Amino acid sequence: MADDSQRNFRSVYYEKVGFRGVEEKKSLEILLKDDRLDIEKLCTFSQRFPLPSMYRILVWKVLLGIIPPHHESHALVMKYRKEQYWDIHHALREPEDEVFLAIAKAMEEMVEDPIECYWLVSCFVNQLNSKHKDSLQQLPKILEQYLNIEDNRLLMHLKACAAMSKLPYDLWFKKCFAGCLPESSLQRVWDKVISGSCKILVFVALEILLTFKMKIIALNTAEKITQFLENIPQDNTDAIVSKAVDLWRTHCGTPAHSV
C-alpha cells in the first residue's frame, strides 16, 4: 500500500512540474522488450503519451530500422507520428510529401546528425503549415505587387507571355526554395522564415526575376521562362539573397513588421 502511495505521489508530482516521464518510460520499455516490434503498438504509444525529448533518439532509431534511409525516412517518421496507417510502398505519393522531401533533402546538407535533421525539418514544416499557411497562399499576389513597383516593364513582359500564373510558386514558396538555391544561400532565407517572416520568400523571388531580367525578356513563352527559373545558375545566389534581404528591409521596415 505504501508503495502504491509513493508511486502515485511521484506521478502526480512529476505531472505538476511538467515532466511526465515515469509512465512513458515504463510503457516504452515494455514495448521495446517485444521480440518483434509492432508498429501499431508504437503508434498507440505515441497516441497515449507526448514523446519526451529524452526518448526521441531511441524512437527514431526504432523507426529507422524498418524504413528507408535519408530524407525519405524523415517523411515516413512524420507520418508515423501523425498516426497515419498506410501501405509503406505508397507512402510518399501525396503532394505534401514532395514538399517535405525537398526540405528534408536540403536540410540534410546543413545538419550532419540525422536525428537533429528530422526534428528541425518537422518543426520547420509544421511552422509553414500552421503559422504561415494562409500567408503562403497570398505570396504570388504580393510578388506581383512588388514587381510592379520595382520593374513594371518586366511585369508586363511576364503577363504578355501569360507567365505570371505559371511561375514556379511551389518551388519558391511551398518548398521555400529547397531545390532551387544551394544550401549556403538557403540557410539565410530559412533563418528569416523561422524567425517569423515568410514574406522574405517574396523578395528572394523578386530579386531572382530582377537579376535575370534580360534573360527572361529574351524568352517569349511561359514554358521557357518557368523552365529557366526552375534551374537558375547557382554561381551568384549569395548576392541574390543579400539583395533580397535589402529589398525586404526597404519595403517591410523592421523585422518585427516583416511577417
Side-chain angles (χ1 to χ4, degrees), residues 7-8 10-11 14-15 20-30 45 48-49:
R7 183 196 64 202
N8 293 336
R10 189 167 64 249
S11 300
Y14 281 133
E15 288 184 9
R20 301 181 60 225
V22 178
E23 296 303 324
E24 288 92 327
K25 180 178 179 181
K26 290 179 180 178
S27 299
L28 188 57
E29 286 177 347
I30 292 171
F45 172 82
R48 289 182 59 200
F49 304 112

Side-chain angles (χ1 to χ4, degrees), residues 36-93:
R36 296 181 61 185
L37 179 64
D38 188 328
I39 297 304
E40 288 197 17
K41 288 183 180 179
L42 186 61
C43 291
T44 301
F45 172 82
S46 70
Q47 291 172 348
R48 289 182 59 200
F49 304 112
L51 185 63
S53 59
M54 62 191 294
Y55 293 117
R56 286 178 175 178
I57 294 176
L58 182 57
V59 173
W60 166 264
K61 288 180 177 179
V62 169
L63 290 171
L64 195 62
I66 60 166
I67 57 182
H70 307 305
H71 55 277
E72 290 188 1
S73 65
H74 299 314
L76 289 171
V77 173
M78 176 65 105
K79 284 201 169 185
Y80 276 119
R81 290 182 63 227
K82 289 181 178 178
E83 295 94 41
Q84 296 180 5
Y85 299 94
W86 29 257
D87 180 352
I88 195 168
H89 298 293
H90 299 85
L92 299 177
R93 295 186 179 180

Side-chain angles (χ1 to χ4, degrees), residues 181-182 185 211-212 232-243:
L181 299 176
S185 301
T211 297
F212 298 108
I232 62 171
Q234 304 286 289
D235 52 355
N236 64 339
T237 55
D238 284 344
I240 288 174
V241 171
S242 294
K243 292 177 182 178

Side-chain angles (χ1 to χ4, degrees), residues 24-212:
E24 288 92 327
K25 180 178 179 181
K26 290 179 180 178
S27 299
L28 188 57
E29 286 177 347
I30 292 171
L31 175 63
L32 295 175
K33 283 179 181 179
D34 290 348
D35 292 334
R36 296 181 61 185
L37 179 64
D38 188 328
I39 297 304
E40 288 197 17
K41 288 183 180 179
L42 186 61
C43 291
T44 301
F45 172 82
S46 70
Q47 291 172 348
R48 289 182 59 200
F49 304 112
L51 185 63
S53 59
M54 62 191 294
Y55 293 117
R56 286 178 175 178
I57 294 176
L58 182 57
V59 173
W60 166 264
K61 288 180 177 179
V62 169
L63 290 171
L64 195 62
I66 60 166
I67 57 182
H70 307 305
H71 55 277
E72 290 188 1
S73 65
H74 299 314
L76 289 171
V77 173
M78 176 65 105
K79 284 201 169 185
Y80 276 119
R81 290 182 63 227
K82 289 181 178 178
E83 295 94 41
Q84 296 180 5
Y85 299 94
W86 29 257
D87 180 352
I88 195 168
H89 298 293
H90 299 85
L92 299 177
R93 295 186 179 180
E94 299 298 326
E96 63 269 20
D97 295 325
E98 184 180 348
V99 172
F100 194 102
L101 288 172
I103 292 175
K105 187 174 182 180
M107 190 73 79
E108 282 183 339
E109 299 298 321
M110 306 177 195
V111 183
E112 292 184 2
D113 185 276
I115 301 165
E116 279 187 28
C117 181
Y118 165 71
W119 292 108
L120 287 170
V121 173
S122 62
C123 291
F124 185 47
V125 172
N126 281 337
Q127 182 178 356
L128 292 176
N129 292 337
S130 55
K131 181 177 180 180
H132 298 312
K133 182 178 181 180
D134 294 334
S135 298
L136 288 173
Q137 297 175 359
Q138 301 300 317
L139 297 189
K141 184 182 296 184
I142 296 173
L143 172 60
E144 182 174 336
Q145 293 171 356
Y146 284 119
L147 182 57
N148 184 49
I149 296 171
E150 292 295 324
D151 197 318
N152 179 261
R153 181 191 171 198
L154 179 56
L155 175 60
M156 290 301 101
H157 174 72
L158 290 171
K159 286 187 172 182
C161 296
M164 277 305 297
S165 62
K166 297 181 180 179
L167 296 180
Y169 295 125
D170 284 356
L171 177 64
W172 289 351
F173 302 148
K174 287 186 178 181
K175 296 180 182 179
C176 297
F177 293 94
C180 177
L181 299 176
E183 285 67 35
S184 59
S185 301
L186 203 55
Q187 288 184 57
R188 300 172 61 195
V189 178
W190 286 4
D191 281 346
K192 298 292 186 295
V193 176
I194 292 170
S195 67
S197 176
C198 68
K199 195 177 282 188
I200 184 63
L201 302 173
V202 167
F203 292 100
V204 176
L206 177 60
E207 188 55 44
I208 287 175
L209 294 174
L210 295 175
T211 297
F212 298 108

